[in-house]
Amino acid sequence: MSVALVWFRRDLRLQDNPALQAALAAGHEPLLVYVHAPDEEGAWAPGAASNAWLHRSLANLDADLRARGSQLVIRHGPSAAALQQLIAETGAQAVYWNRKYEPATQARDAALKRELRGQGIVAESHNGSLLFEPWELATQQGGPYKVFTPFWRTALTRWKLPVLSAAPAALPRPSISGVPLDALQLHPALAWDNGFWEHWQPGETGAHEALDVFVEGALQGYRQQRDLPDRVGTSLLSPHLHFGEIAPWHIATVLERQRTAANEADVNGYLRELGWREFSTHLLHHFPHTSERNLNPRFDRFAWTAPDPPLLAAWQQGRTGVPIVDAGMRELWATGYMHNRVRMIVASYLCKHLRLHWLHGARWFWDTLVDADLANNTMGWQWVAGTGADAAPYFRIFNPVTQAQKFDPEARYITRWVPELGALPLKARFAPWLFPALLADKALDYPRQPLVDLAQGREAALAAYQRV
Ligand SMILES: Cc1cc2nc3c(=O)[nH]c(=O)nc-3n(C[C@H](O)[C@H](O)[C@H](O)COP(=O)(O)OP(=O)(O)OC[C@H]3O[C@@H](n4cnc5c(N)ncnc54)[C@H](O)[C@@H]3O)c2cc1C
């Protein structure tokens, strides 16, 4: 039987894995490999939280393979050299993989495909992570979409979910070995992630469990609850989706099976969020410069505040004096995750009230989020900053106090992550600087004043916007 390499990348699962299925369907003996080559991701090599997750996800994939008689062969990059070496060692006649869409690795993969085919090796890539590949949906003029609603409307007219496929029951033991997982040194130098793992279970089993928990629980009422950070109102599937531990069409199929008249709006609302994920990949594919530069070039002249390390550090560490912002930044540090509504609030505060360039925030999220994803992160930051596609207009500036009062009305989220405010009466927990005597008496450790006066910060941002 001929050997085929199945090259795992951002598809760390055995179910619904088109590359693995294709290798098996072609009658090959699959050799399952992971090549560690973070340098090939260009300016966006995975950050510390991503690496911590990746370590656990690879360990789980290897355990799942061993349970089937196989194991994962891990090698160090460069990817092309490592794959050529594996071909030489095993006589493999084919290489299968699922596509990644980040600009740097797309270019690498295209070159590699040409090289392998030039040698007479079968080189096949598949769609392992999207409902629609970035080039499948186009406007009537044939160009990329820049606005979500028509993008999603078109997507829904083309909605066709693939048949689900089970994980293979058994896989052959590889004839060669790789390096141990620990050799990749994915653990952070500073073990700040210890607290993460009570919240997360990386790997394919953890992904399916998270989906089950969501379907049994937060799916009912998702449309209303998804904006409330004080409860588990969302699926928490983002890191599993990022690492390809579950296919989006698997999630969509399970949800479609659950669809009833009563939960129609919740199911549609959830699928729409998966749609934003599709849209972000569409945007990054068609506008590959946007991970670094504004999509809207008008903002290239915007007067961002000069880099200010103490200001940025106060935001990063949750010491801004604005409770909802500090709560979000501390949730991020403690769990590797932040609720979507709060991501918008902290991002708006950084880009508008502090007027620091959105890239400062994008880079911090990149290093600290377990779901850090170049397409979603880029779109999220440019959307909030007002510099991106279909963005909130720059002049719509989130007021972090009224946002907190609306979405965390009992201040439960604030108090969970900023416990030093717990002794204050509820009304004082949203804007404690308005209650200086209480603050001095009951919350000595919390900043007396916000980093910037919210009204002045807003005016300065609007004035800078007027000049663009
Ligand atoms: C400034 C900023 C940065 C962000 N950075 C990232 C990031 O690096 N990685 C990331 O996965 N998401 C990012 N998001 C989007 C969103 O916050 C997360 O996807 C969401 O909070 C994940 O939680 P969940 O899985 O419970 O979401 P659910 O509400 O359960 O949504 C289901 C899935 O839909 C996708 N999704 C939901 N909202 C969005 C969105 N706004 N844009 C794109 N996809 C979405 C995610 O894959 C998510 O897992 C960012 C948003 C903002 C405002």
Side-chain angles (χ1 to χ4, degrees):
M1 207 188 234
S2 61
V3 171
L5 307 183
V6 176
W7 180 22
F8 282 97
R9 299 118 59 84
R10 199 77 63 56
D11 51 344
L12 304 180
R13 64 175 186 270
L14 300 180
Q15 286 183 51
D16 305 309
N17 188 320
L20 176 57
Q21 285 160 31
L24 290 168
H28 294 295
E29 178 179 316
L31 183 91
L32 308 152
V33 305
Y34 177 79
V35 181
H36 190 55
D39 299 351
E40 294 171 14
E41 309 273 350
W44 296 94
S50 294
N51 281 334
W53 186 288
L54 177 63
H55 181 94
R56 284 166 176 77
S57 191
L58 288 173
N60 277 295
L61 179 63
D62 185 48
D64 290 344
L65 289 172
R66 284 172 194 264
R68 290 166 172 79
S70 183
Q71 76 186 69
L72 188 63
V73 175
I74 298 174
R75 293 283 170 96
H76 288 288
S79 299
L83 293 172
Q84 291 289 7
Q85 175 68 28
L86 286 162
I87 290 168
E89 286 174 38
T90 61
Q93 291 169 12
V95 185
Y96 293 84
W97 67 83
N98 292 312
R99 286 190 272 280
K100 270 168 102 274
Y101 303 92
E102 291 82 359
T105 47
Q106 248 185 348
R108 173 199 69 189
D109 293 350
L112 186 63
K113 198 183 260 182
R114 279 195 299 275
E115 180 185 318
L116 292 170
R117 287 183 176 168
Q119 291 167 235
I121 305 266
V122 173
E124 256 187 36
S125 63
H126 294 262
N127 170 14
S129 59
L130 291 171
L131 301 168
F132 299 95
E133 295 200 84
W135 46 86
E136 277 182 60
L137 303 180
T139 62
Q140 281 181 348
Q141 293 72 40
Y145 284 96
K146 280 189 172 180
V147 179
F148 174 73
T149 304
F151 170 85
W152 190 232
R153 206 183 298 127
T154 306
L156 289 175
T157 63
R158 306 263 303 269
W159 193 245
K160 194 164 162 276
L161 295 172
V163 176
L164 302 188
S165 71
L171 286 161
R173 180 171 298 284
S175 54
I176 54 159
S177 57
V179 299
L181 176 56
D182 280 336
L184 307 187
Q185 299 188 320
L186 294 167
H187 285 306
L190 168 76
W192 103 101
D193 63 320
N194 282 342
F196 288 17
W197 313 112
E198 67 191 71
H199 304 277
W200 303 107
Q201 190 192 338
E204 187 168 12
T205 306
H208 285 267
E209 283 181 17
L211 177 60
D212 291 346
V213 168
F214 175 63
V215 168
E216 291 299 313
L219 174 60
Q220 329 326 311
Y222 174 78
R223 267 294 283 278
Q224 263 83 46
Q225 312 264 347
R226 63 176 289 272
D227 262 327
L228 307 178
D230 67 345
R231 65 201 67 186
V232 179
T234 63
S235 69
L236 304 178
L237 276 162
S238 50
H240 300 291
L241 276 163
H242 171 74
F243 285 96
E245 297 167 355
I246 191 163
W249 62 83
H250 186 107
I251 302 175
T253 304
V254 169
L255 260 67
E256 288 295 358
R257 286 182 191 151
Q258 296 289 324
R259 192 187 276 280
T260 62
N263 70 14
E264 183 87 17
D266 297 323
V267 169
N268 288 343
Y270 189 86
L271 296 177
R272 191 179 161 85
E273 293 312 312
L274 287 183
W276 277 101
R277 176 176 180 270
E278 301 281 318
F279 184 52
S280 75
T281 310
H282 178 86
L283 288 175
L284 187 61
H285 172 76
H286 289 289
F287 306 100
H289 62 283
T290 53
S291 59
E292 306 286 339
R293 301 204 316 271
N294 303 318
L295 178 65
N296 179 348
R298 233 168 24 122
F299 277 87
D300 294 350
R301 288 177 287 128
F302 187 78
W304 301 103
T305 308
D308 183 333
L311 203 65
L312 184 61
W315 177 81
Q316 291 170 335
Q317 293 164 10
R319 293 187 288 103
T320 67
V322 180
I324 189 74
V325 174
D326 293 341
M329 300 311 293
R330 294 185 198 185
E331 179 189 21
L332 174 60
W333 185 253
T335 68
Y337 176 86
M338 192 194 301
H339 188 276
N340 180 59
R341 170 60 47 182
V342 190
R343 290 187 204 203
M344 293 194 279
I345 298 170
V346 305
S348 170
Y349 183 77
L350 184 85
C351 300
K352 311 267 169 97
H353 287 101
L354 302 184
R355 236 177 341 110
L356 287 170
H357 195 291
W358 59 266
L359 261 174
H360 294 295
R363 290 241 171 247
W364 182 250
F365 271 29
W366 187 252
D367 209 28
T368 52
L369 276 172
V370 287
D371 67 17
D373 180 278
L374 195 59
N376 287 352
N377 199 40
T378 300
M379 182 182 72
W381 277 96
Q382 293 232 29
W383 188 90
V384 175
T387 57
D390 200 11
Y394 184 85
F395 53 79
R396 205 177 290 154
I397 297 179
F398 277 17
N399 178 328
V401 175
T402 51
Q403 285 282 312
Q405 286 164 335
K406 181 168 178 197
F407 295 107
D408 185 27
E410 320 265 327
R412 281 206 294 254
Y413 177 81
I414 287 178
T415 314
R416 176 167 180 208
W417 295 110
V418 191
E420 63 265 40
L421 297 177
L424 297 184
L426 179 62
K427 63 174 184 184
R429 289 190 215 169
F430 302 105
W433 61 91
L434 299 177
F435 303 87
L438 279 174
L439 201 51
D441 186 30
K442 295 186 186 298
L444 256 183
D445 295 337
Y446 196 69
R448 299 281 85 124
Q449 288 293 328
L451 282 181
V452 294
D453 176 87
L454 291 184
Q456 282 173 12
R458 181 187 148 81
E459 288 316 311
L462 289 176
Y465 176 63
Q466 287 301 324
R467 290 194 291 272
V468 170

mmCIF file of all heavy atoms in Angstrom, residues 117-138:
data_model
loop_
_atom_site.group_PDB
_atom_site.id
_atom_site.type_symbol
_atom_site.label_atom_id
_atom_site.label_comp_id
_atom_site.label_asym_id
_atom_site.label_seq_id
_atom_site.Cartn_x
_atom_site.Cartn_y
_atom_site.Cartn_z
ATOM 1 N N ARG A 117 4.186 18.737 -6.878
ATOM 2 C CA ARG A 117 3.615 18.251 -8.148
ATOM 3 C C ARG A 117 4.703 18.153 -9.205
ATOM 4 O O ARG A 117 4.685 17.225 -10.029
ATOM 5 C CB ARG A 117 2.472 19.151 -8.608
ATOM 6 C CG ARG A 117 1.239 18.948 -7.743
ATOM 7 C CD ARG A 117 0.066 19.763 -8.208
ATOM 8 N NE ARG A 117 -1.112 19.461 -7.417
ATOM 9 C CZ ARG A 117 -2.232 20.158 -7.420
ATOM 10 N NH1 ARG A 117 -2.333 21.224 -8.207
ATOM 11 N NH2 ARG A 117 -3.259 19.808 -6.678
ATOM 12 N N GLY A 118 5.646 19.102 -9.158
ATOM 13 C CA GLY A 118 6.770 19.063 -10.095
ATOM 14 C C GLY A 118 7.587 17.782 -9.931
ATOM 15 O O GLY A 118 8.228 17.317 -10.874
ATOM 16 N N GLN A 119 7.581 17.219 -8.748
ATOM 17 C CA GLN A 119 8.330 15.976 -8.485
ATOM 18 C C GLN A 119 7.485 14.739 -8.782
ATOM 19 O O GLN A 119 7.916 13.619 -8.515
ATOM 20 C CB GLN A 119 8.690 15.887 -6.997
ATOM 21 C CG GLN A 119 9.706 16.863 -6.516
ATOM 22 C CD GLN A 119 9.717 16.867 -4.972
ATOM 23 O OE1 GLN A 119 9.567 17.912 -4.379
ATOM 24 N NE2 GLN A 119 9.878 15.726 -4.330
ATOM 25 N N GLY A 120 6.249 14.955 -9.194
ATOM 26 C CA GLY A 120 5.375 13.805 -9.471
ATOM 27 C C GLY A 120 4.670 13.277 -8.233
ATOM 28 O O GLY A 120 4.120 12.173 -8.224
ATOM 29 N N ILE A 121 4.685 14.079 -7.145
ATOM 30 C CA ILE A 121 3.976 13.681 -5.920
ATOM 31 C C ILE A 121 2.563 14.264 -5.988
ATOM 32 O O ILE A 121 2.394 15.417 -6.391
ATOM 33 C CB ILE A 121 4.697 14.262 -4.676
ATOM 34 C CG1 ILE A 121 6.165 13.853 -4.666
ATOM 35 C CG2 ILE A 121 3.964 13.952 -3.386
ATOM 36 C CD1 ILE A 121 6.518 12.637 -3.898
ATOM 37 N N VAL A 122 1.584 13.494 -5.582
ATOM 38 C CA VAL A 122 0.222 14.024 -5.501
ATOM 39 C C VAL A 122 0.188 15.027 -4.339
ATOM 40 O O VAL A 122 0.580 14.683 -3.219
ATOM 41 C CB VAL A 122 -0.798 12.891 -5.238
ATOM 42 C CG1 VAL A 122 -2.190 13.453 -4.994
ATOM 43 C CG2 VAL A 122 -0.788 11.892 -6.391
ATOM 44 N N ALA A 123 -0.236 16.249 -4.604
ATOM 45 C CA ALA A 123 -0.352 17.253 -3.527
ATOM 46 C C ALA A 123 -1.765 17.817 -3.598
ATOM 47 O O ALA A 123 -2.126 18.462 -4.580
ATOM 48 C CB ALA A 123 0.680 18.363 -3.708
ATOM 49 N N GLU A 124 -2.544 17.551 -2.559
ATOM 50 C CA GLU A 124 -3.972 17.934 -2.591
ATOM 51 C C GLU A 124 -4.326 18.716 -1.348
ATOM 52 O O GLU A 124 -4.028 18.268 -0.244
ATOM 53 C CB GLU A 124 -4.837 16.662 -2.558
ATOM 54 C CG GLU A 124 -5.434 16.298 -3.871
ATOM 55 C CD GLU A 124 -6.413 15.137 -3.722
ATOM 56 O OE1 GLU A 124 -7.126 15.049 -2.686
ATOM 57 O OE2 GLU A 124 -6.445 14.321 -4.640
ATOM 58 N N SER A 125 -4.998 19.853 -1.545
ATOM 59 C CA SER A 125 -5.485 20.580 -0.369
ATOM 60 C C SER A 125 -7.009 20.597 -0.386
ATOM 61 O O SER A 125 -7.633 20.510 -1.446
ATOM 62 C CB SER A 125 -4.918 21.997 -0.347
ATOM 63 O OG SER A 125 -5.361 22.716 -1.467
ATOM 64 N N HIS A 126 -7.595 20.711 0.798
ATOM 65 C CA HIS A 126 -9.052 20.625 0.960
ATOM 66 C C HIS A 126 -9.527 21.740 1.867
ATOM 67 O O HIS A 126 -8.742 22.352 2.583
ATOM 68 C CB HIS A 126 -9.421 19.261 1.568
ATOM 69 C CG HIS A 126 -9.116 18.131 0.640
ATOM 70 N ND1 HIS A 126 -10.051 17.547 -0.168
ATOM 71 C CD2 HIS A 126 -7.939 17.507 0.370
ATOM 72 C CE1 HIS A 126 -9.485 16.598 -0.890
ATOM 73 N NE2 HIS A 126 -8.197 16.547 -0.578
ATOM 74 N N ASN A 127 -10.837 21.941 1.848
ATOM 75 C CA ASN A 127 -11.435 22.910 2.772
ATOM 76 C C ASN A 127 -11.783 22.193 4.075
ATOM 77 O O ASN A 127 -12.718 21.401 4.113
ATOM 78 C CB ASN A 127 -12.692 23.520 2.134
ATOM 79 C CG ASN A 127 -13.487 24.347 3.144
ATOM 80 O OD1 ASN A 127 -12.993 24.676 4.227
ATOM 81 N ND2 ASN A 127 -14.723 24.667 2.796
ATOM 82 N N GLY A 128 -11.045 22.525 5.125
ATOM 83 C CA GLY A 128 -11.306 21.874 6.405
ATOM 84 C C GLY A 128 -11.859 22.806 7.460
ATOM 85 O O GLY A 128 -12.086 22.377 8.596
ATOM 86 N N SER A 129 -12.058 24.090 7.140
ATOM 87 C CA SER A 129 -12.405 24.985 8.244
ATOM 88 C C SER A 129 -13.501 26.003 7.948
ATOM 89 O O SER A 129 -13.811 26.803 8.821
ATOM 90 C CB SER A 129 -11.153 25.733 8.718
ATOM 91 O OG SER A 129 -10.605 26.460 7.674
ATOM 92 N N LEU A 130 -14.088 25.970 6.776
ATOM 93 C CA LEU A 130 -15.070 27.014 6.455
ATOM 94 C C LEU A 130 -16.334 26.432 5.831
ATOM 95 O O LEU A 130 -16.307 25.360 5.215
ATOM 96 C CB LEU A 130 -14.457 28.008 5.461
ATOM 97 C CG LEU A 130 -13.335 28.904 6.001
ATOM 98 C CD1 LEU A 130 -12.698 29.669 4.857
ATOM 99 C CD2 LEU A 130 -13.847 29.868 7.058
ATOM 100 N N LEU A 131 -17.422 27.186 5.961
ATOM 101 C CA LEU A 131 -18.659 26.829 5.256
ATOM 102 C C LEU A 131 -18.531 27.227 3.783
ATOM 103 O O LEU A 131 -19.046 26.549 2.903
ATOM 104 C CB LEU A 131 -19.847 27.544 5.903
ATOM 105 C CG LEU A 131 -20.066 27.220 7.388
ATOM 106 C CD1 LEU A 131 -21.073 28.189 8.014
ATOM 107 C CD2 LEU A 131 -20.540 25.783 7.558
ATOM 108 N N PHE A 132 -17.850 28.342 3.535
ATOM 109 C CA PHE A 132 -17.619 28.825 2.172
ATOM 110 C C PHE A 132 -16.172 29.294 2.087
ATOM 111 O O PHE A 132 -15.737 30.072 2.931
ATOM 112 C CB PHE A 132 -18.528 30.023 1.846
ATOM 113 C CG PHE A 132 -19.986 29.694 1.918
ATOM 114 C CD1 PHE A 132 -20.704 29.936 3.080
ATOM 115 C CD2 PHE A 132 -20.637 29.120 0.840
ATOM 116 C CE1 PHE A 132 -22.051 29.617 3.168
ATOM 117 C CE2 PHE A 132 -21.990 28.804 0.922
ATOM 118 C CZ PHE A 132 -22.700 29.046 2.078
ATOM 119 N N GLU A 133 -15.472 28.857 1.084
ATOM 120 C CA GLU A 133 -14.096 29.341 0.965
ATOM 121 C C GLU A 133 -14.130 30.809 0.517
ATOM 122 O O GLU A 133 -15.103 31.270 -0.082
ATOM 123 C CB GLU A 133 -13.321 28.451 0.014
ATOM 124 C CG GLU A 133 -13.217 27.065 0.634
ATOM 125 C CD GLU A 133 -12.100 26.234 0.059
ATOM 126 O OE1 GLU A 133 -10.965 26.401 0.535
ATOM 127 O OE2 GLU A 133 -12.383 25.443 -0.831
ATOM 128 N N PRO A 134 -13.058 31.546 0.822
ATOM 129 C CA PRO A 134 -13.106 33.001 0.652
ATOM 130 C C PRO A 134 -13.410 33.450 -0.769
ATOM 131 O O PRO A 134 -13.917 34.545 -0.979
ATOM 132 C CB PRO A 134 -11.704 33.457 1.051
ATOM 133 C CG PRO A 134 -11.094 32.336 1.791
ATOM 134 C CD PRO A 134 -11.811 31.083 1.426
ATOM 135 N N TRP A 135 -13.111 32.636 -1.742
ATOM 136 C CA TRP A 135 -13.313 33.038 -3.141
ATOM 137 C C TRP A 135 -14.660 32.548 -3.692
ATOM 138 O O TRP A 135 -15.013 32.840 -4.821
ATOM 139 C CB TRP A 135 -12.170 32.486 -4.012
ATOM 140 C CG TRP A 135 -11.867 31.047 -3.731
ATOM 141 C CD1 TRP A 135 -12.478 29.955 -4.283
ATOM 142 C CD2 TRP A 135 -10.894 30.543 -2.820
ATOM 143 N NE1 TRP A 135 -11.951 28.798 -3.760
ATOM 144 C CE2 TRP A 135 -10.963 29.128 -2.866
ATOM 145 C CE3 TRP A 135 -9.949 31.132 -1.962
ATOM 146 C CZ2 TRP A 135 -10.147 28.293 -2.088
ATOM 147 C CZ3 TRP A 135 -9.143 30.299 -1.194
ATOM 148 C CH2 TRP A 135 -9.249 28.908 -1.259
ATOM 149 N N GLU A 136 -15.418 31.798 -2.871
ATOM 150 C CA GLU A 136 -16.655 31.218 -3.400
ATOM 151 C C GLU A 136 -17.787 32.225 -3.519
ATOM 152 O O GLU A 136 -18.657 32.076 -4.368
ATOM 153 C CB GLU A 136 -17.122 30.076 -2.492
ATOM 154 C CG GLU A 136 -16.439 28.756 -2.769
ATOM 155 C CD GLU A 136 -16.997 27.668 -1.872
ATOM 156 O OE1 GLU A 136 -18.196 27.391 -1.929
ATOM 157 O OE2 GLU A 136 -16.198 27.106 -1.082
ATOM 158 N N LEU A 137 -17.830 33.214 -2.619
ATOM 159 C CA LEU A 137 -18.918 34.186 -2.664
ATOM 160 C C LEU A 137 -18.377 35.502 -3.215
ATOM 161 O O LEU A 137 -17.320 35.970 -2.777
ATOM 162 C CB LEU A 137 -19.500 34.414 -1.265
ATOM 163 C CG LEU A 137 -20.031 33.164 -0.542
ATOM 164 C CD1 LEU A 137 -20.581 33.547 0.824
ATOM 165 C CD2 LEU A 137 -21.081 32.440 -1.364
ATOM 166 N N ALA A 138 -19.119 36.073 -4.175
ATOM 167 C CA ALA A 138 -18.671 37.339 -4.773
ATOM 168 C C ALA A 138 -19.886 38.225 -5.004
ATOM 169 O O ALA A 138 -21.017 37.738 -5.108
ATOM 170 C CB ALA A 138 -17.953 37.059 -6.093
#
